Amino acid sequence: MFVAIFAVCALTLSWQADAMVIEERRSCRTDGCVTQNGCVPRYSQYSTAIYCPQRCVIERCRSVENEQRQRICHQITSVATGQVLAALDSYDRRGNQRYATLVNPNSGERDRWNMIVGPGNNYYIQNSDTKEYLRASDNNYLYLVSERPTDESFLFKPDLVQGSWSCVLLQSVCYRGYIFAEQYNGGYRNFALMTRDLQRCYRESLWSISSVNC
């Protein structure tokens, strides 16, 4: 009889412990919304509380080590070509500056970026691997430079088409031109350039910015 009572008590305690673990796991999770800054709490911002096209789950009980290991970066993809912005070893011989290049996705190139909020809610765009910053130039080329941002040539203004980061125009704050994807005979590597002629280059100027693990 005592054995039976002990077994029932043990089973009850085990069920209560499992319930506590489940409840604890639930309390570690909260609803989130996917933004350019990754997964943010759904009701932490007015915009995400009203409109959240893509939901996600935030694990609030992860260790610092796990958070660092799963740091969020961004991939910038051309809507027109499907190629992604990357930092290749392609240089302008005149100034020994690295060109901003487009490559096919999943090519193993350095195609992860940090979108860093700057003045006026504009963005600095930094390559996650090389730590270089994207910089606009008056010759309509885009370069990657290792120096820290010093002026508006490093800043880009996102214009969300229909309110979504899956379709964005990226405008240089300094030169007012838009980043567009060069299409050169369907080549493996193309350049990201700037244009002010959206009427002629509108589709080539559209980008999709998505969150990926660094």
Side-chain angles (χ1 to χ4, degrees):
M1 179 177 178
F2 288 107
V3 174
I5 293 174
F6 178 78
V8 171
C9 290
L11 182 61
T12 302
L13 289 172
S14 175
W15 178 85
Q16 289 177 341
D18 290 341
M20 289 175 64
V21 170
I22 293 173
E23 185 62 30
E24 183 179 350
R25 286 177 180 172
R26 286 177 179 171
S27 66
C28 284
R29 294 186 173 186
T30 185
D31 289 335
C33 188
V34 176
T35 70
Q36 77 278 12
N37 295 319
C39 186
V40 302
R42 172 75 190 278
Y43 297 99
S44 64
Q45 302 176 15
Y46 177 78
S47 58
T48 56
I50 297 299
Y51 178 69
C52 181
Q54 185 177 352
R55 296 191 180 187
C56 53
V57 175
I58 299 174
E59 293 283 356
R60 295 182 297 183
C61 301
R62 289 177 179 167
S63 66
V64 173
E65 181 182 353
N66 286 338
E67 287 293 336
Q68 292 176 345
R69 186 167 58 247
Q70 298 182 9
R71 189 166 57 89
I72 297 298
C73 289
H74 297 88
Q75 201 164 47
I76 304 174
T77 306
S78 168
V79 172
T81 68
Q83 292 185 309
V84 295
L85 190 66
L88 299 185
D89 293 327
S90 179
Y91 293 88
D92 183 343
R93 296 178 181 177
R94 295 166 297 180
N96 197 31
Q97 296 184 96
R98 191 196 306 267
Y99 287 117
T101 316
L102 295 169
V103 298
N104 294 331
N106 303 317
S107 59
E109 302 292 352
R110 293 164 292 200
D111 58 2
R112 300 293 195 268
W113 301 87
N114 301 317
M115 301 287 292
I116 304 170
V117 179
N121 288 326
N122 299 308
Y123 286 81
Y124 298 111
I125 302 176
Q126 181 192 44
N127 188 271
S128 177
D129 293 304
T130 68
K131 305 305 179 185
E132 295 170 312
Y133 289 89
L134 194 66
R135 186 179 191 181
S137 173
D138 57 3
N139 64 2
N140 290 332
Y141 276 94
L142 291 159
Y143 296 102
L144 289 165
V145 296
S146 57
E147 64 187 81
R148 294 183 63 83
T150 55
D151 54 46
E152 289 188 340
S153 64
F154 290 91
L155 282 172
F156 296 89
K157 177 183 178 181
D159 182 2
L160 277 61
V161 179
Q162 298 179 349
S164 171
W165 284 90
S166 62
C167 195
V168 187
L169 292 167
L170 293 170
Q171 184 182 30
S172 167
V173 172
C174 182
Y175 297 105
R176 305 301 179 187
Y178 294 87
I179 301 177
F180 83 102
E182 176 197 44
Q183 298 188 63
Y184 184 72
N185 296 330
Y188 165 70
R189 297 180 181 180
N190 293 315
F191 293 112
L193 305 174
M194 285 197 308
T195 181
R196 292 187 179 183
D197 189 358
L198 282 184
Q199 186 172 359
R200 187 171 64 91
C201 303
Y202 181 73
R203 180 169 173 76
E204 291 79 5
S205 301
L206 294 175
W207 302 88
S208 174
I209 301 179
S210 56
S211 299
V212 293
N213 289 330
C214 293

